[in-house]
Amino acid sequence: MIRDIQDEIVRLKKEKNICILAHSYQSEAVCEIADYTGDSYALARKAAEDKRPTALMCGVRFMAEGVKLLCPQKKVILSHPEAGCPMAEQFGPFEVEAFRKENPGVAVVAYINTSAELKTVCDVCVTSSSAVDIVRKMHEKDILFIPDCNLGEYVASKVPEKNIITWMGGCPVHARVSQWQVKQAKAAHPNALVLVHPECTGEVRELADMIGSTSAIMDYAKNSDHKEFIIGTENSIVEHLKAACPDKSFYPMWKEFLCPNMKLTTLYDVLACLKGQGGEIIDIDCDMAAKARRCLDRMLEM
């Protein structure tokens, strides 16, 4: 049944000339029918390079907005209209504007996991893999890093010469994992290396053998000579790595390390989108898009 649905999706995307993007936190079944898989910004770049006029994002809203910002000429569809991101929705532009008035001269760095609206009032955007390098290169010493305080604290530890301010925000899924759960996983699998995302808390990062973005975690595990790994990010990555490296063992750090918004998208949703019966077309006001794009352009420049 799954294969039948996948075959029909592949047929329709070819017939309708649609590019399918799937974030790494999607299920293996969804990733198998995608043209590109990976982290959010990498997918937006792939969409910009792709010649097809329509892009279907199997992910969450800020990711579809990112595609639209880089590909304003394309029709961009979000696979599930209710797939949002709590981290991206935690702060709005008014809060940042109020902060700027009270703190002139402080630069504002926006994690890629933010809405297009919030990006309009920030100076530069960063990904989890580029955050340290970009913050280090910035001329400003005082920096507000939003929205993820855990990633912000990680960047601060790597760039001590900067004064990094964070707000109490972030990914509720990564933030829920505790040091106790890491210790439990290590006790169950003493020979496994611990790979964690920087959105995890500092006490979890302290127990890690490697800290990196989703793509960096996957690359590290695939290329390492080690045979066992505890994966400290969304459990879909465990599934993907098991499929990619059947000779190695991968364990979830916690059985509930799951993003409910990412799990909203199913093969049935993808099929409905291709039939014109589901999803949501993403449109961004031209003025907002221009302001938000400046934030992304500076990231590329740096």
Side-chain angles (χ1 to χ4, degrees), residues 40-41 62 69 87-88 91-92 96 100 107-128 130-131 134-135 138 143-148 151-152 155 164-165 167 291-292 294-296 298-299:
S40 55
Y41 189 64
F62 83 81
L69 288 174
M87 173 162 44
F91 305 121
V96 175
R100 281 186 177 282
V108 181
V109 174
Y111 188 22
I112 193 78
N113 298 36
T114 46
S115 67
E117 185 179 26
L118 186 55
K119 288 181 177 74
T120 63
V121 295
C122 298
D123 295 301
V124 63
C125 201
V126 297
T127 64
S128 55
S130 69
I134 287 178
V135 168
M138 293 178 70
I143 295 167
L144 171 64
F145 189 101
I146 57 173
D148 193 288
L151 177 58
V155 173
I164 296 180
I165 304 160
W167 287 347
K291 291 177 180 177
R294 287 200 295 267
C295 190
L296 293 170
R298 190 176 178 203
M299 176 173 72

Side-chain angles (χ1 to χ4, degrees), residues 248-266:
K248 297 181 179 181
S249 297
F250 301 95
Y251 314 108
M253 183 170 284
W254 182 36
K255 66 179 180 179
E256 295 183 35
F257 214 146
L258 300 166
C259 176
N261 284 281
M262 285 291 186
K263 293 298 180 280
L264 286 175
T265 297
T266 66

Side-chain angles (χ1 to χ4, degrees), residues 96-266:
V96 175
E97 288 172 334
F99 175 87
R100 281 186 177 282
K101 287 180 181 179
E102 295 178 3
N103 301 273
V106 177
V108 181
V109 174
Y111 188 22
I112 193 78
N113 298 36
T114 46
S115 67
E117 185 179 26
L118 186 55
K119 288 181 177 74
T120 63
V121 295
C122 298
D123 295 301
V124 63
C125 201
V126 297
T127 64
S128 55
S129 58
S130 69
V132 171
D133 287 339
I134 287 178
V135 168
R136 183 176 287 126
K137 291 176 182 177
M138 293 178 70
H139 298 301
E140 299 89 348
K141 180 178 176 61
D142 299 320
I143 295 167
L144 171 64
F145 189 101
I146 57 173
D148 193 288
C149 61
N150 291 322
L151 177 58
E153 289 167 3
Y154 173 73
V155 173
S157 71
K158 298 294 183 181
V159 194
E161 65 272 21
K162 301 289 186 179
N163 175 32
I164 296 180
I165 304 160
T166 60
W167 287 347
M168 190 56 67
C171 173
V173 178
H174 284 86
R176 284 176 65 198
V177 182
S178 70
Q179 195 175 67
W180 175 75
Q181 282 146 348
V182 184
K183 289 179 178 178
Q184 271 199 322
K186 284 173 68 73
H189 311 288
N191 296 321
L193 296 181
V194 178
L195 317 182
V196 308
H197 196 283
E199 289 175 19
C200 290
T201 63
E203 65 174 17
V204 169
R205 296 196 304 269
E206 285 176 4
L207 298 177
D209 296 293
M210 177 267 180
I211 302 170
S213 67
T214 304
S215 293
I217 286 173
M218 294 184 74
D219 289 343
Y220 184 94
K222 290 176 182 177
N223 297 324
S224 173
D225 292 332
H226 210 78
K227 294 296 183 182
E228 294 184 67
F229 304 88
I230 295 167
I231 304 301
T233 190
E234 220 275 349
N235 284 344
S236 296
I237 302 306
V238 176
E239 181 184 13
H240 301 327
L241 286 170
K242 284 181 176 179
C245 307
D247 60 322
K248 297 181 179 181
S249 297
F250 301 95
Y251 314 108
M253 183 170 284
W254 182 36
K255 66 179 180 179
E256 295 183 35
F257 214 146
L258 300 166
C259 176
N261 284 281
M262 285 291 186
K263 293 298 180 280
L264 286 175
T265 297
T266 66

